Coordinates of all heavy atoms in Angstrom, one line a residue:
M1 N 2.4 -25.3 -4.0 CA 3.1 -24.1 -3.6 C 4.6 -24.4 -4.1 O 5.1 -25.5 -3.8 CB 3.0 -23.9 -2.1 CG 3.5 -22.5 -1.8 SD 3.4 -22.2 0.0 CE 1.6 -22.4 0.4
S2 N 5.2 -23.4 -4.7 CA 6.5 -23.6 -5.1 C 7.6 -23.3 -4.1 O 7.2 -22.5 -3.2 CB 6.8 -22.7 -6.4 OG 6.7 -21.4 -6.0
R3 N 8.6 -24.0 -4.2 CA 9.7 -23.8 -3.2 C 10.8 -22.8 -3.7 O 11.2 -23.1 -4.9 CB 10.3 -25.2 -2.7 CG 9.5 -26.0 -1.7 CD 10.2 -27.2 -1.4 NE 11.2 -27.1 -0.4 CZ 11.1 -26.8 0.9 NH1 10.0 -26.6 1.4 NH2 12.2 -27.0 1.7
Q4 N 11.3 -22.1 -2.9 CA 12.4 -21.2 -3.3 C 13.5 -21.2 -2.4 O 13.3 -21.5 -1.1 CB 11.9 -19.7 -3.3 CG 10.8 -19.5 -4.4 CD 11.3 -19.5 -5.8 OE1 12.3 -19.1 -6.2 NE2 10.5 -20.2 -6.7
S5 N 14.7 -20.9 -2.8 CA 15.8 -20.9 -1.8 C 16.3 -19.4 -1.9 O 16.6 -18.9 -3.0 CB 17.0 -21.8 -2.2 OG 18.0 -21.6 -1.4
I6 N 16.2 -18.6 -0.8 CA 16.6 -17.3 -0.8 C 17.6 -17.0 0.4 O 17.5 -17.7 1.4 CB 15.3 -16.4 -0.7 CG1 14.6 -16.5 0.6 CG2 14.6 -16.3 -1.9 CD1 13.5 -15.6 0.7
S7 N 18.3 -16.0 0.2 CA 19.3 -15.6 1.2 C 18.9 -14.3 1.8 O 18.3 -13.4 1.2 CB 20.7 -15.5 0.6 OG 21.1 -16.7 0.0
F8 N 19.2 -14.2 3.2 CA 18.8 -13.0 3.9 C 20.1 -12.4 4.6 O 21.0 -13.0 4.8 CB 17.9 -13.1 5.0 CG 16.6 -13.7 4.5 CD1 16.3 -15.0 4.8 CD2 15.7 -12.9 4.0 CE1 15.0 -15.4 4.4 CE2 14.4 -13.4 3.6 CZ 14.2 -14.8 3.8
T9 N 20.3 -11.1 4.6 CA 21.3 -10.5 5.4 C 21.1 -10.8 6.9 O 19.9 -11.3 7.3 CB 21.2 -8.9 5.3 OG1 20.0 -8.4 5.9 CG2 21.3 -8.3 3.9
K10 N 22.1 -10.7 7.6 CA 22.1 -11.2 9.0 C 21.0 -10.3 9.8 O 20.1 -11.0 10.5 CB 23.5 -11.0 9.7 CG 23.5 -11.6 11.0 CD 24.8 -11.5 11.6 CE 24.7 -12.2 13.0 NZ 26.0 -12.4 13.6
P11 N 20.9 -9.0 9.6 CA 19.9 -8.4 10.5 C 18.4 -8.8 10.1 O 17.6 -9.0 11.0 CB 20.0 -6.9 10.1 CG 21.5 -6.8 9.6 CD 21.8 -8.1 9.0
N12 N 18.2 -9.1 8.8 CA 16.9 -9.6 8.3 C 16.6 -10.8 8.8 O 15.4 -11.2 9.2 CB 16.8 -9.4 6.8 CG 16.7 -8.1 6.3 OD1 16.3 -7.1 7.1 ND2 17.0 -7.8 5.0
D13 N 17.5 -11.8 8.7 CA 17.4 -13.1 9.3 C 17.1 -13.2 10.7 O 16.1 -13.9 11.1 CB 18.5 -14.0 9.0 CG 18.3 -15.4 9.1 OD1 17.3 -16.0 8.7 OD2 19.3 -16.1 9.8
E14 N 17.8 -12.3 11.5 CA 17.6 -12.3 12.9 C 16.1 -11.8 13.2 O 15.4 -12.3 14.2 CB 18.6 -11.4 13.6 CG 20.0 -11.9 13.7 CD 20.0 -13.2 14.4 OE1 19.4 -13.4 15.5 OE2 20.8 -14.2 14.0
W15 N 15.7 -10.7 12.6 CA 14.4 -10.2 12.6 C 13.3 -11.3 12.3 O 12.3 -11.5 13.0 CB 14.1 -9.1 11.8 CG 12.8 -8.4 11.9 CD1 12.5 -7.5 12.9 CD2 11.6 -8.6 11.2 NE1 11.1 -7.2 12.8 CE2 10.6 -7.8 11.7 CE3 11.3 -9.3 10.0 CZ2 9.3 -7.8 11.3 CZ3 10.1 -9.3 9.5 CH2 9.1 -8.5 10.1
L16 N 13.5 -12.0 11.2 CA 12.5 -13.1 10.8 C 12.5 -14.2 12.1 O 11.4 -14.6 12.5 CB 13.0 -13.8 9.5 CG 12.8 -12.9 8.3 CD1 13.4 -13.6 7.1 CD2 11.3 -12.9 8.0
K17 N 13.7 -14.5 12.5 CA 13.8 -15.6 13.6 C 13.0 -15.0 14.9 O 12.2 -15.8 15.4 CB 15.2 -15.9 13.9 CG 15.9 -16.7 13.0 CD 17.4 -16.9 13.3 CE 18.1 -17.7 12.3 NZ 19.6 -17.8 12.7
E18 N 13.2 -13.8 15.2 CA 12.5 -13.2 16.3 C 11.0 -13.3 16.2 O 10.3 -13.6 17.2 CB 12.9 -11.8 16.5 CG 14.3 -11.6 17.0 CD 14.8 -10.1 17.0 OE1 14.0 -9.2 16.8 OE2 15.9 -9.9 17.2
Q19 N 10.4 -12.9 14.9 CA 9.0 -13.0 14.6 C 8.5 -14.4 14.9 O 7.4 -14.6 15.5 CB 8.7 -12.5 13.3 CG 9.1 -11.1 12.9 CD 8.7 -10.1 14.1 OE1 7.5 -10.0 14.3 NE2 9.7 -9.4 14.7
V20 N 9.3 -15.4 14.4 CA 8.7 -16.8 14.6 C 8.9 -17.3 16.1 O 7.9 -17.9 16.5 CB 9.6 -17.7 13.7 CG1 9.3 -19.1 13.8 CG2 9.4 -17.4 12.1
E21 N 9.9 -16.9 16.6 CA 10.1 -17.2 18.1 C 9.0 -16.6 19.0 O 8.7 -17.2 20.0 CB 11.6 -16.8 18.6 CG 12.5 -17.8 17.9 CD 14.0 -17.2 18.3 OE1 14.2 -16.2 18.9 OE2 14.9 -17.9 17.8
S22 N 8.7 -15.5 18.6 CA 7.5 -14.8 19.4 C 6.2 -15.4 19.2 O 5.2 -14.9 19.7 CB 7.6 -13.4 19.1 OG 7.1 -13.1 17.8
E23 N 6.1 -16.4 18.3 CA 4.9 -17.1 17.9 C 4.0 -16.1 17.2 O 2.7 -16.5 17.1 CB 4.4 -17.8 19.1 CG 5.2 -18.9 19.7 CD 4.7 -19.6 20.8 OE1 3.5 -19.3 21.2 OE2 5.3 -20.5 21.4
E24 N 4.4 -15.1 16.7 CA 3.6 -14.3 15.8 C 3.2 -15.0 14.5 O 2.1 -14.8 13.9 CB 4.3 -13.0 15.6 CG 3.5 -11.9 14.8 CD 2.4 -11.3 15.7 OE1 2.5 -11.2 16.8 OE2 1.5 -10.8 15.1
Y25 N 4.3 -15.7 14.0 CA 4.1 -16.6 12.9 C 4.6 -17.9 13.1 O 5.6 -18.1 14.0 CB 4.8 -15.9 11.7 CG 4.3 -14.6 11.3 CD1 4.7 -13.4 11.8 CD2 3.2 -14.4 10.3 CE1 4.3 -12.1 11.5 CE2 2.7 -13.2 10.1 CZ 3.2 -12.1 10.7 OH 2.7 -10.8 10.3
S26 N 4.1 -18.8 12.5 CA 4.6 -20.3 12.6 C 5.8 -20.7 11.9 O 6.6 -21.6 12.2 CB 3.5 -21.3 12.2 OG 3.1 -21.2 10.9
S27 N 6.2 -19.9 10.9 CA 7.4 -20.2 10.1 C 7.9 -18.9 9.5 O 7.0 -17.9 9.2 CB 7.1 -21.2 9.0 OG 6.3 -20.8 8.1
K28 N 9.1 -18.9 8.9 CA 9.6 -17.8 8.1 C 8.8 -17.7 6.9 O 8.5 -16.5 6.3 CB 11.0 -18.0 7.7 CG 12.0 -17.8 8.9 CD 13.5 -17.9 8.4 CE 14.5 -17.9 9.5 NZ 15.9 -18.0 9.0
S29 N 8.5 -18.8 6.2 CA 7.7 -18.9 5.1 C 6.3 -18.1 5.1 O 6.0 -17.4 4.3 CB 7.5 -20.2 4.5 OG 8.7 -20.8 4.2
E30 N 5.7 -18.4 6.3 CA 4.4 -17.7 6.5 C 4.6 -16.1 6.6 O 3.8 -15.4 5.9 CB 3.7 -18.2 7.8 CG 2.4 -17.7 8.2 CD 1.9 -18.0 9.5 OE1 2.5 -18.9 10.2 OE2 0.8 -17.5 9.9
L31 N 5.6 -15.8 7.3 CA 6.0 -14.4 7.5 C 6.3 -13.7 6.2 O 5.7 -12.7 5.8 CB 6.9 -14.2 8.5 CG 7.5 -12.8 8.7 CD1 6.3 -11.8 9.0 CD2 8.6 -12.7 9.8
I32 N 7.1 -14.4 5.4 CA 7.6 -13.8 4.0 C 6.3 -13.7 3.2 O 6.1 -12.6 2.4 CB 8.6 -14.8 3.4 CG1 9.8 -14.8 4.2 CG2 8.8 -14.2 2.0 CD1 10.6 -13.4 4.4
N33 N 5.4 -14.8 3.1 CA 4.2 -14.7 2.3 C 3.3 -13.4 2.8 O 2.7 -12.8 1.9 CB 3.4 -15.9 2.4 CG 4.0 -16.9 1.4 OD1 4.2 -16.6 0.2 ND2 4.3 -18.1 1.8
E34 N 3.2 -13.3 4.1 CA 2.4 -12.1 4.6 C 3.0 -10.8 4.1 O 2.3 -9.9 3.7 CB 2.3 -12.2 6.1 CG 1.6 -11.0 6.8 CD 0.1 -10.9 6.3 OE1 -0.5 -11.9 5.9 OE2 -0.4 -9.8 6.4
L35 N 4.3 -10.7 4.2 CA 5.0 -9.5 3.8 C 4.7 -9.2 2.3 O 4.6 -8.1 1.9 CB 6.5 -9.5 4.2 CG 6.9 -9.5 5.6 CD1 8.3 -9.8 5.9 CD2 6.4 -8.1 6.3
I36 N 4.8 -10.2 1.5 CA 4.6 -10.1 0.1 C 3.1 -9.6 -0.2 O 2.9 -8.8 -0.9 CB 4.9 -11.4 -0.7 CG1 6.4 -11.6 -0.6 CG2 4.4 -11.4 -2.1 CD1 6.9 -12.9 -1.2
R37 N 2.2 -10.3 0.6 CA 0.9 -9.8 0.4 C 0.6 -8.4 0.7 O -0.1 -7.7 0.0 CB -0.1 -10.7 1.3 CG -0.5 -12.0 0.8 CD -1.6 -12.7 1.6 NE -1.2 -13.1 2.9 CZ -0.5 -14.3 3.1 NH1 -0.3 -15.1 2.1 NH2 -0.1 -14.6 4.3
Q38 N 1.2 -7.8 1.8 CA 1.1 -6.6 2.2 C 1.8 -5.6 1.1 O 1.2 -4.6 0.8 CB 1.8 -6.3 3.6 CG 1.0 -6.9 4.8 CD 1.9 -6.8 6.1 OE1 2.8 -5.9 6.1 NE2 1.5 -7.4 7.1
A39 N 2.8 -6.1 0.6 CA 3.5 -5.2 -0.4 C 2.7 -5.2 -1.7 O 2.5 -4.0 -2.3 CB 4.9 -5.8 -0.7
R40 N 2.0 -6.3 -2.0 CA 1.2 -6.2 -3.2 C -0.1 -5.4 -3.0 O -0.4 -4.5 -3.9 CB 0.7 -7.6 -3.5 CG 1.9 -8.4 -4.0 CD 1.6 -10.0 -4.1 NE 0.5 -10.2 -5.2 CZ -0.1 -11.3 -5.3 NH1 0.1 -12.3 -4.5 NH2 -1.1 -11.4 -6.2
K41 N -0.6 -5.4 -1.8 CA -1.8 -4.5 -1.6 C -1.4 -3.1 -1.6 O -2.1 -2.2 -2.1 CB -2.3 -4.8 -0.1 CG -3.5 -4.1 0.3 CD -4.2 -4.6 1.7 CE -5.3 -3.8 1.9 NZ -5.9 -4.2 3.4
Q42 N -0.3 -2.8 -0.9 CA 0.3 -1.4 -0.9 C 0.6 -1.0 -2.4 O 0.3 0.2 -2.7 CB 1.6 -1.3 -0.1 CG 2.1 0.1 0.0 CD 3.3 0.1 0.9 OE1 4.1 -0.8 0.9 NE2 3.6 1.3 1.6
Q43 N 1.1 -1.8 -3.2 CA 1.3 -1.5 -4.6 C 0.1 -1.1 -5.3 O -0.1 -0.1 -6.2 CB 2.1 -2.5 -5.4 CG 2.6 -2.0 -6.7 CD 3.6 -0.8 -6.7 OE1 4.4 -0.9 -6.0 NE2 3.2 0.1 -7.5
V44 N -1.0 -1.8 -5.1 CA -2.4 -1.5 -5.7 C -2.8 -0.1 -5.2 O -3.2 0.7 -6.2 CB -3.4 -2.6 -5.3 CG1 -4.9 -2.1 -5.6 CG2 -3.1 -3.9 -5.9
Q45 N -2.6 0.3 -4.0 CA -3.0 1.6 -3.5 C -2.2 2.7 -4.1 O -2.7 3.7 -4.6 CB -2.9 1.6 -2.0 CG -3.9 0.7 -1.3 CD -3.6 0.6 0.3 OE1 -2.5 0.8 0.7 NE2 -4.5 0.2 0.9
V46 N -0.9 2.4 -4.3 CA 0.0 3.5 -4.9 C -0.4 3.6 -6.4 O -0.5 4.8 -6.9 CB 1.5 2.9 -4.8 CG1 2.5 3.7 -5.6 CG2 1.9 3.0 -3.3
D47 N -0.6 2.5 -7.1 CA -1.0 2.6 -8.5 C -2.3 3.3 -8.6 O -2.5 4.1 -9.5 CB -1.2 1.1 -9.1 CG 0.1 0.4 -9.2 OD1 1.2 1.1 -9.2 OD2 0.1 -0.8 -9.4
W48 N -3.3 3.2 -7.8 CA -4.5 3.9 -7.8 C -4.3 5.3 -7.6 O -4.9 6.2 -8.3 CB -5.5 3.3 -6.6 CG -6.8 4.0 -6.7 CD1 -8.0 3.7 -7.5 CD2 -7.3 5.0 -5.8 NE1 -9.0 4.5 -7.1 CE2 -8.6 5.3 -6.1 CE3 -6.6 5.9 -4.8 CZ2 -9.3 6.4 -5.5 CZ3 -7.4 6.8 -4.2 CH2 -8.7 7.0 -4.5
I49 N -3.5 5.7 -6.5 CA -3.3 7.1 -6.3 C -2.5 7.7 -7.5 O -2.9 8.9 -7.9 CB -2.4 7.3 -5.0 CG1 -3.3 7.0 -3.9 CG2 -1.8 8.7 -4.9 CD1 -2.5 6.8 -2.5
R50 N -1.5 7.1 -8.1 CA -0.8 7.6 -9.2 C -1.7 7.8 -10.4 O -1.7 8.8 -11.1 CB 0.2 6.6 -9.6 CG 1.1 7.1 -10.8 CD 2.3 6.1 -11.1 NE 3.3 6.2 -10.1 CZ 3.7 5.3 -9.2 NH1 3.3 4.0 -9.4 NH2 4.7 5.5 -8.3
A51 N -2.7 6.9 -10.6 CA -3.6 7.1 -11.8 C -4.6 8.2 -11.5 O -4.8 9.0 -12.4 CB -4.4 5.8 -11.9
K52 N -5.0 8.4 -10.2 CA -5.8 9.6 -10.0 C -5.0 10.9 -10.1 O -5.5 11.8 -10.6 CB -6.2 9.6 -8.5 CG -7.4 8.6 -8.2 CD -8.7 9.2 -8.7 CE -9.8 8.6 -8.0 NZ -11.0 9.0 -8.5
L53 N -3.8 10.9 -9.8 CA -2.9 12.2 -9.9 C -2.7 12.5 -11.4 O -2.8 13.6 -11.8 CB -1.6 12.0 -9.2 CG -1.7 12.1 -7.7 CD1 -0.3 11.6 -7.1 CD2 -2.0 13.4 -7.2
E54 N -2.5 11.4 -12.2 CA -2.3 11.5 -13.6 C -3.5 12.2 -14.2 O -3.5 13.0 -15.0 CB -1.8 10.2 -14.3 CG -0.4 9.9 -13.9 CD 0.0 8.6 -14.4 OE1 -0.9 7.8 -15.0 OE2 1.1 8.2 -14.1
R55 N -4.7 11.7 -13.9 CA -5.9 12.1 -14.5 C -6.2 13.5 -14.2 O -6.6 14.3 -14.8 CB -7.1 11.2 -14.0 CG -7.4 10.0 -14.9 CD -8.6 9.2 -14.5 NE -8.2 8.7 -13.1 CZ -8.6 7.5 -12.8 NH1 -9.5 6.8 -13.4 NH2 -8.2 7.1 -11.6
S56 N -5.9 13.9 -12.8 CA -6.1 15.2 -12.3 C -5.2 16.2 -13.1 O -5.6 17.3 -13.6 CB -5.8 15.3 -11.0 OG -6.6 14.6 -10.1
E57 N -3.9 15.8 -13.3 CA -3.0 16.6 -14.1 C -3.5 16.9 -15.5 O -3.4 18.0 -16.1 CB -1.6 16.1 -14.0 CG -1.0 16.1 -12.8 CD 0.4 15.4 -12.7 OE1 0.7 14.6 -13.6 OE2 1.2 15.5 -11.6
L58 N -4.0 15.8 -16.1 CA -4.4 15.9 -17.5 C -5.8 16.7 -17.6 O -6.1 17.2 -18.7 CB -4.7 14.5 -18.1 CG -3.6 13.7 -18.4 CD1 -3.8 12.3 -18.8 CD2 -2.5 14.4 -19.4
S59 N -6.6 17.0 -16.5 CA -7.7 17.6 -16.6 C -7.6 19.1 -16.6 O -8.5 19.9 -16.9 CB -8.8 17.2 -15.5 OG -8.2 17.7 -14.2
G60 N -6.3 19.5 -16.3 CA -6.1 21.0 -16.4 C -6.3 21.7 -15.1 O -6.5 21.1 -14.1
F61 N -6.1 23.0 -15.1 CA -6.3 23.8 -13.9 C -7.5 24.6 -13.8 O -8.3 24.6 -14.8 CB -5.1 24.9 -13.9 CG -3.7 24.2 -13.8 CD1 -3.0 23.9 -14.9 CD2 -3.2 23.8 -12.5 CE1 -1.7 23.2 -14.8 CE2 -1.9 23.1 -12.5 CZ -1.1 22.8 -13.7
T62 N -7.8 25.1 -12.7 CA -9.1 25.9 -12.5 C -8.8 27.2 -11.8 O -7.7 27.4 -11.2 CB -10.1 25.0 -11.6 OG1 -11.2 25.7 -11.4 CG2 -9.5 24.9 -10.2
D63 N -9.7 28.1 -12.1 CA -9.6 29.4 -11.4 C -10.5 29.5 -10.3 O -10.7 30.5 -9.6 CB -10.0 30.5 -12.4 CG -8.8 30.7 -13.5 OD1 -7.6 30.4 -13.2 OD2 -9.2 31.0 -14.7
D64 N -11.3 28.3 -10.0 CA -12.2 28.3 -8.8 C -11.6 28.6 -7.5 O -10.3 28.2 -7.4 CB -12.8 27.0 -8.8 CG -13.8 26.7 -10.1 OD1 -14.1 27.6 -10.7 OD2 -14.3 25.5 -10.1
T65 N -12.2 29.2 -6.6 CA -11.7 29.3 -5.2 C -11.8 28.1 -4.5 O -12.5 27.1 -4.9 CB -12.5 30.4 -4.5 OG1 -13.8 30.0 -4.3 CG2 -12.5 31.7 -5.2
K66 N -11.0 28.1 -3.4 CA -11.0 26.8 -2.6 C -12.5 26.6 -2.0 O -12.9 25.4 -1.9 CB -10.0 26.9 -1.5 CG -10.3 27.9 -0.4 CD -9.2 28.0 0.7 CE -9.4 29.1 1.7 NZ -8.3 29.1 2.6
E67 N -13.2 27.7 -1.8 CA -14.6 27.4 -1.4 C -15.5 26.8 -2.4 O -16.4 26.1 -2.2 CB -15.2 28.8 -0.9 CG -14.6 29.4 0.3 CD -13.3 30.1 0.2 OE1 -12.9 30.4 -1.0 OE2 -12.6 30.4 1.2
Q68 N -15.4 27.3 -3.7 CA -16.0 26.8 -4.8 C -15.7 25.3 -5.0 O -16.6 24.4 -5.3 CB -15.8 27.6 -6.1 CG -16.3 29.0 -6.0 CD -15.8 29.7 -7.2 OE1 -14.7 29.7 -7.6 NE2 -16.8 30.6 -7.9
I69 N -14.4 24.9 -4.9 CA -14.0 23.5 -5.1 C -14.6 22.6 -4.0 O -15.0 21.5 -4.3 CB -12.5 23.5 -5.1 CG1 -11.8 24.2 -6.3 CG2 -12.0 22.0 -5.0 CD1 -10.4 24.3 -6.2
L70 N -14.6 23.2 -2.8 CA -15.1 22.3 -1.6 C -16.6 22.1 -1.7 O -17.1 21.1 -1.7 CB -14.9 23.2 -0.3 CG -15.4 22.5 0.9 CD1 -14.8 21.1 1.2 CD2 -15.2 23.3 2.1
A71 N -17.4 23.3 -2.2 CA -18.8 23.1 -2.5 C -19.1 22.1 -3.6 O -20.0 21.2 -3.4 CB -19.4 24.4 -2.8
Q72 N -18.3 22.2 -4.7 CA -18.4 21.2 -5.7 C -18.1 19.7 -5.3 O -18.9 18.8 -5.7 CB -17.4 21.6 -6.9 CG -17.7 20.6 -8.1 CD -16.8 21.0 -9.3 OE1 -15.7 21.6 -9.1 NE2 -17.2 20.8 -10.5
S73 N -17.0 19.6 -4.4 CA -16.7 18.3 -4.0 C -17.9 17.6 -3.1 O -18.2 16.5 -3.2 CB -15.4 18.2 -3.2 OG -14.4 18.7 -3.9
K74 N -18.4 18.5 -2.2 CA -19.5 18.2 -1.5 C -20.7 17.8 -2.2 O -21.5 16.8 -2.0 CB -19.9 19.2 -0.5 CG -18.9 19.4 0.7 CD -19.3 20.4 1.7 CE -18.3 20.6 2.8 NZ -18.7 21.7 3.8
S75 N -21.0 18.5 -3.3 CA -22.1 18.2 -4.3 C -21.9 16.9 -4.8 O -22.9 16.0 -5.0 CB -22.3 19.2 -5.2 OG -22.7 20.5 -4.7
L76 N -20.7 16.6 -5.3 CA -20.4 15.2 -5.9 C -20.6 14.1 -4.9 O -21.2 13.1 -5.2 CB -18.9 15.2 -6.4 CG -18.7 16.0 -7.6 CD1 -17.1 16.2 -7.9 CD2 -19.4 15.4 -8.8
L77 N -20.2 14.3 -3.7 CA -20.4 13.3 -2.7 C -21.7 13.0 -2.4 O -22.2 11.9 -2.0 CB -19.6 13.7 -1.3 CG -18.0 13.6 -1.5 CD1 -17.5 14.2 -0.2 CD2 -17.6 12.2 -1.6
N78 N -22.6 14.1 -2.4 CA -24.0 13.9 -2.2 C -24.8 13.6 -3.4 O -26.0 13.5 -3.4 CB -24.6 15.2 -1.5 CG -24.0 15.6 -0.2 OD1 -23.8 14.6 0.6 ND2 -23.7 16.7 0.1
G79 N -24.1 13.4 -4.5 CA -24.8 12.9 -5.8 C -25.6 14.1 -6.4 O -26.6 13.6 -7.1
R80 N -25.2 15.2 -6.2 CA -26.1 16.4 -6.9 C -25.6 16.7 -8.2 O -26.2 17.6 -8.8 CB -26.0 17.5 -5.9 CG -26.9 17.3 -4.6 CD -27.0 18.6 -3.8 NE -27.0 18.2 -2.5 CZ -26.4 18.9 -1.5 NH1 -25.9 20.1 -1.8 NH2 -26.5 18.5 -0.2
L81 N -24.4 16.3 -8.6 CA -23.9 16.8 -10.0 C -24.0 15.6 -10.9 O -24.1 14.7 -10.7 CB -22.4 17.3 -9.9 CG -22.2 18.7 -9.2 CD1 -20.7 19.0 -9.2 CD2 -23.0 19.7 -10.0

């Protein structure tokens, strides 16, 4: 594992200390690694949503009613299309 030296603002450093003192985490490093894992996971989700939106925009618009769209979605979920 690589070592890094980083600086925190006072409020962030205090928050990190509180988390370690509450025994939620054993060290600041453990907490920072957990926060990075969460941020990476969240970025994967954001990228997935963005890709879905881009594909949707490229597929064009429809004149279908909301009822028709709902029926089509249900059919897709049930494997009928």
Side-chain angles (χ1 to χ4, degrees):
M1 192 177 307
S2 66
R3 280 182 81 71
Q4 299 287 322
S5 175
I6 58 174
S7 300
F8 299 106
T9 62
K10 187 172 181 170
N12 288 343
D13 189 47
E14 290 299 320
W15 183 82
L16 288 168
K17 286 178 186 176
E18 289 171 12
Q19 301 308 303
V20 174
E21 288 171 1
S22 71
E23 299 182 358
E24 185 74 23
Y25 296 91
S26 62
S27 67
K28 287 182 184 179
S29 293
E30 180 186 357
L31 175 54
I32 297 299
N33 276 309
E34 175 63 23
L35 293 171
I36 291 170
R37 277 191 290 277
Q38 290 176 11
R40 290 171 64 194
K41 183 178 180 180
Q42 184 179 33
Q43 187 61 51
V44 167
Q45 293 169 340
V46 168
D47 291 344
W48 181 83
I49 291 168
R50 183 175 287 123
K52 285 285 205 181
L53 288 171
E54 288 172 358
R55 275 184 291 214
S56 295
E57 289 173 350
L58 292 174
S59 71
F61 294 94
T62 182
D63 292 324
D64 293 349
T65 66
K66 64 182 178 182
E67 290 81 12
Q68 291 170 319
I69 294 169
L70 180 60
Q72 185 180 27
S73 296
K74 286 180 178 180
S75 292
L76 286 171
L77 288 173
N78 293 325
R80 291 187 215 144
L81 284 181

